[in-house]
Amino acid sequence: MTETYDAIVVGAGSVGVPTAMALAAQGVRTLVIDRHVSPGQGENKHALGGTRATHSVPGKILVCLRSLEIFSTWEETYGDPIDWVKGGYLFPAYGAEEEKVLKEILPVQRQSGLNIDYISPEEVQEILPGIRAEGLRGGSYSPDDGNASPLLAINAFYRRAVAEGAVFHFGERVTAILTRDDRVEGVATERGKYHAPVVIDTAGPFSPSLCANLGEELPILPELHEAGITEPVRPFFKCLVVDLRSGPGSKNDYFCQNNRGQVIFSLAPDPPEIGLNKRSTSSFLPLVSARMVDMMPRLKNLRVRRTWRGIYPVSPDGAPIVGWDQKVEGLLHATAMCGQGFMLGPGMGELLSRMVTGKTTERDAVILKEFSPRRRFESHEALK
Ligand SMILES: Cc1cc2nc3c(=O)[nH]c(=O)nc-3n(C[C@H](O)[C@H](O)[C@H](O)COP(=O)(O)OP(=O)(O)OC[C@H]3O[C@@H](n4cnc5c(N)ncnc54)[C@H](O)[C@@H]3O)c2cc1C
């Protein structure tokens, strides 16, 4: 007998799991299918866990403000630890250009409800003791941002989704989205067929192949990014630091100390590396450590435990693609998280649940316009 649901979510990742949690909480009978054996085994587990509402465009700010509320109150509400650290995000500026960009976006950030300020070099040094003072021109600081453990968080969301009644099928690959007369009917997997009037594509880098049988072309490229983690040491800073200076081979880097004392770090390669090869490289560690030690010399004393490589599915303008499919009724895309899917996930899950139940708000309309699959992809996100 074919199983029937109200909604099927393809992908138990950073977006799919909180979406299932939000849908099930609204009484929507939800099935989640993932080809991996447990939640978060796609790109979620590659994330550092940085969670910020500090973006340059309103839609992302609004979604992430809601995510931050969920992350920061999770443990007291549900009891599961997710290693949340409220340390803020710090964007130090050494060049006039970075200072200008950071100051120019303050009005839109504040109008969208973000708690942020441009602070003096002395204040930056207080927040990040040991930062190189020479040439420092201050920076922007948003104290309510933070970081959390991607694996602890997704498992906490997964348990909550199951408690609300969502059904999960792991180790099962969706091979086709089933349609009739341009309407979704469900999905086919290697094991069988499942029916639902709504299918949500949260397949991350695999959204283009998932939707290929429908002729829908999603403008997403798989960009490879590496990260690393050190041994644990006594806490010596709390904020997540983003170094916006570009250099040979890299566009920017970012790092934080998690609540177990380990420093986690990543870098944006320049030019971007496109592909699906997740083997880590020998060039990443020398490049990122030179950058980090230049900004914060005391980091040279840390020993690195391991590095890894994952994929950012990116859209041409650096914003997610979220909205109902242009050709197939009932197909909802929530993909191309552009390296920010962990922080967007919980807020995005609630937004998607409102779309499915027809309860979107005026605030949602602002977000959905920015993330529309039908937009021209011409704008530019300053903090990408
Ligand atoms: C090095 C690195 C550092 C990062 N740091 C951060 C950070 O600090 N903060 C942040 O917010 N983000 C960060 N990210 C980005 C974050 O990891 C991703 O944006 C996020 O995980 C994407 O979520 P998603 O749900 O779209 O995809 P995923 O989490 O990858 O989930 C997609 C799921 O779909 C499943 N799937 C795909 N196709 C099928 C199919 N046909 N059938 C069944 N299942 C399928 C996959 O198995 C996968 O589990 C980082 C990424 C990398 C690589």
Side-chain angles (χ1 to χ4, degrees):
M1 199 184 77
T2 311
E3 291 174 37
T4 301
Y5 295 87
D6 296 330
I8 296 173
V9 178
V10 184
S14 306
V15 179
V17 174
T19 299
M21 178 172 83
L23 284 168
Q26 292 292 311
V28 178
R29 288 175 305 133
T30 305
L31 169 67
V32 186
I33 304 176
D34 200 294
R35 61 185 168 169
H36 289 297
V37 294
S38 60
Q41 296 301 315
E43 295 315 309
N44 179 82
K45 71 175 178 188
H46 297 130
L48 261 64
T51 54
R52 61 171 153 116
T54 306
H55 301 281
S56 64
V57 281
K60 273 194 197 174
I61 297 173
L62 294 173
V63 174
C64 287
L65 281 174
R66 177 61 191 139
S67 290
L68 282 170
E69 281 173 5
I70 296 170
F71 284 120
S72 61
T73 57
W74 188 270
E75 191 166 344
E76 71 191 58
T77 309
Y78 298 106
D80 311 300
I82 60 166
D83 280 4
W84 165 252
V85 177
K86 182 184 157 185
Y89 256 65
L90 177 69
F91 287 75
Y94 283 92
E97 184 54 29
E98 294 137 37
E99 181 177 352
K100 184 167 162 269
V101 169
L102 293 171
K103 285 183 172 168
E104 268 174 8
I105 58 179
L106 283 177
V108 74
Q109 292 176 322
R110 288 184 177 140
Q111 274 159 24
S112 306
L114 183 69
N115 177 15
I116 187 163
D117 213 346
Y118 193 88
I119 57 176
S120 67
E122 294 71 31
E123 289 169 302
V124 170
Q125 285 170 277
E126 264 173 46
I127 290 164
L128 188 62
I131 186 172
R132 189 181 290 285
E134 195 188 335
L136 185 61
R137 306 169 73 102
S140 77
Y141 180 59
S142 29
D144 299 334
D145 293 339
N147 68 82
S149 158
L151 274 175
L152 286 177
I154 201 161
N155 279 293
F157 299 157
Y158 164 67
R159 285 191 293 274
R160 190 75 220 139
V162 170
E164 295 282 5
V167 175
F168 283 76
H169 285 198
F170 290 111
E172 192 169 347
R173 194 168 71 85
V174 173
T175 51
I177 294 171
L178 304 172
T179 61
R180 179 180 294 183
D181 299 332
D182 292 333
R183 259 216 67 85
V184 152
E185 283 209 314
V187 301
T189 74
E190 290 145 333
R191 288 194 218 149
K193 290 182 178 171
Y194 303 92
H195 281 176
V198 171
V199 170
I200 308 180
D201 152 29
T202 59
F206 301 99
S207 292
S209 53
L210 175 72
C211 300
N213 74 328
L214 305 172
E216 173 72 15
E217 274 190 32
L218 296 167
I220 301 174
L221 282 177
E223 215 177 83
L224 292 161
H225 284 245
E226 287 180 82
I229 190 162
T230 69
E231 62 188 347
V233 292
R234 197 152 12 112
F236 62 107
F237 66 106
K238 265 189 109 174
C239 58
L240 196 148
V241 186
V242 184
D243 181 359
L244 289 173
R245 292 175 297 175
S246 60
S250 61
K251 210 170 99 193
N252 58 51
D253 70 70
Y254 61 102
F255 56 93
C256 65
Q257 189 174 24
N258 67 20
N259 84 341
R260 290 153 200 253
Q262 295 168 288
V263 174
I264 335 173
F265 49 90
S266 185
L267 150 154
D270 189 20
E273 292 164 8
I274 306 299
L276 297 173
N277 180 357
K278 291 208 228 173
R279 286 173 67 117
S280 51
T281 66
S282 55
S283 52
F284 166 67
L285 199 50
L287 193 58
V288 71
S289 47
R291 284 188 63 114
M292 288 166 62
V293 169
D294 177 65
M295 177 181 267
M296 210 170 153
R298 66 175 57 167
L299 293 174
K300 72 176 190 293
N301 300 313
L302 290 175
R303 282 180 299 204
V304 174
R305 275 201 173 158
R306 69 182 179 95
T307 63
W308 64 91
R309 198 185 205 193
I311 304 167
Y312 283 19
V314 293
S315 68
D317 62 3
I321 298 177
V322 181
W324 295 102
D325 190 88
Q326 305 188 44
K327 294 183 184 158
V328 178
E329 209 182 321
L331 175 58
L332 178 54
H333 299 286
T335 184
M337 294 297 138
C338 302
Q340 295 163 346
F342 177 64
M343 61 183 85
L344 287 159
M348 184 74 76
E350 289 188 350
L351 169 65
L352 296 172
S353 79
R354 290 192 293 277
M355 292 175 80
V356 170
T357 54
K359 293 180 188 158
T360 49
T361 62
E362 277 178 29
R363 193 174 143 124
D364 293 339
V366 174
I367 301 165
L368 290 170
K369 188 167 174 221
E370 197 174 298
F371 297 170
S372 168
R374 283 166 285 277
R375 69 186 187 267
R376 296 168 75 94
F377 294 99
E378 282 169 347
S379 65
H380 168 68
E381 225 269 64
L383 299 183
K384 209 23 226 93

